Amino acid sequence: MRRILILGGTAEARALADALVAHGVHVITSLAGRVANPRLPSGEVRQGGFGGPDGLAAWLRAERIDALVDATHPFAARMTASAAEAAARTGVPLLVLRRPGWREGPGDRWERVPSQAEAAARLTPGSRVFLTTGRRSLPVFTPRTDVWFLARSVDPPEPPVPPNVEVVLDRGPFTVENERALIRRHRLDTLVTKDSGGPMTTAKLTAARELGLRVLMVDRPALPPGVPAVDTVEAALAWAIERR
């Protein structure tokens, strides 16, 4: 039986694992272990890191992996770089599965920025900011003591965090109605978010458009050169099945 490793943690990774298991493929999904009580896919699951590209390459050889799919978050640049290096060393075929990014539409007030640090630098003093870039990003915004933040994450953030922040612990999907009410209740005027893409997280963008919020959209990091990528589970499934 062919053995496929999925670097997971996303909805697309779970869907791909479910589909591959249904096709009789031995699937191992690797989760970073950063989220408590993650939603688990079908097949075998391992948690924790590999120890960089050296550790991943050794693991691919030891486990006789036939193909590798990187379906991590679009901003997991370090993991993607490790996957590309390990695949090149071992000769294991690699595919990146990334859902499409978002596109600005009529009525949006987006400003694309290359990094979270640039987003923090562009914030207007006195603004009230809806921060949805994840709990690990809070230290980037700590110097902005002239801005009030509402930060949302699945798990509690670890210090340092901005002194002027209120943290909301919640897990999506969220509705436009709920996002609109949250924005109004906290009198927010700016949204900072990453171009993660996907339908589950568009409610905040719709609410921001309706209420006229300024949006600082952090662009995705570029993929390593020469790494093939697809943007649908169906395309990734077809690629993986070809390697059976």
Side-chain angles (χ1 to χ4, degrees):
M1 182 181 293
R2 303 286 283 177
R3 295 166 62 82
I4 293 181
L5 173 64
I6 299 176
L7 304 177
T10 61
E12 291 78 19
R14 290 191 296 273
L16 179 60
D18 294 346
L20 285 171
V21 169
H23 278 77
V25 178
H26 185 111
V27 178
I28 306 170
T29 298
S30 176
L31 303 177
R34 293 172 180 167
V35 176
N37 302 314
R39 297 168 181 169
L40 300 180
S42 301
E44 185 178 340
V45 177
R46 72 176 298 278
Q47 297 203 31
F50 293 94
D54 292 339
L56 178 54
W59 195 92
L60 292 173
R61 293 190 184 101
E63 296 295 324
R64 304 184 306 280
I65 298 300
D66 298 295
L68 171 62
V69 178
D70 173 13
T72 55
H73 192 276
F75 283 80
R78 183 176 299 177
M79 187 68 250
T80 298
S82 290
E85 186 172 342
R89 291 185 189 179
T90 59
V92 173
L94 167 65
L95 180 74
V96 172
L97 170 57
R98 290 286 185 274
R99 54 184 176 250
W102 293 313
R103 294 184 178 180
E104 186 175 4
D108 285 323
R109 296 178 53 207
W110 289 12
E111 298 173 34
R112 286 198 171 269
V113 293
S115 66
Q116 294 180 66
E118 179 64 20
R122 289 201 195 183
L123 292 174
T124 303
S127 57
R128 298 179 64 84
V129 177
F130 189 11
L131 189 59
T132 63
T133 51
R135 64 190 178 98
R136 297 171 66 88
S137 70
L138 291 186
V140 177
F141 297 87
T142 299
R144 292 308 305 263
T145 58
D146 56 347
V147 174
W148 186 86
F149 295 100
L150 179 72
R152 183 167 64 197
S153 63
V154 175
D155 296 316
E158 299 177 357
V161 300
N164 44 336
V165 63
E166 179 176 333
V167 177
V168 176
L169 300 181
D170 206 351
R171 185 196 295 268
F174 304 102
T175 67
V176 175
E177 181 181 5
N178 289 341
E179 299 288 61
R180 192 188 301 120
L182 185 69
I183 291 170
R184 284 174 170 160
R185 182 164 64 251
H186 293 279
R187 296 177 289 111
L188 304 171
D189 55 53
T190 303
L191 169 66
V192 178
T193 192
K194 298 186 291 189
D195 188 6
S196 302
M200 288 182 58
T201 48
T202 57
K204 62 189 174 188
L205 297 174
T206 302
R209 180 191 313 121
E210 292 178 354
L211 298 176
L213 268 65
R214 176 193 187 196
V215 177
L216 293 174
M217 181 69 67
V218 181
D219 283 329
R220 297 177 173 188
L223 292 176
V227 174
V230 296
D231 60 10
T232 66
V233 172
E234 293 75 16
L237 176 62
W239 179 89
I241 292 300
E242 288 177 357
R243 277 143 186 84
R244 293 180 59 177

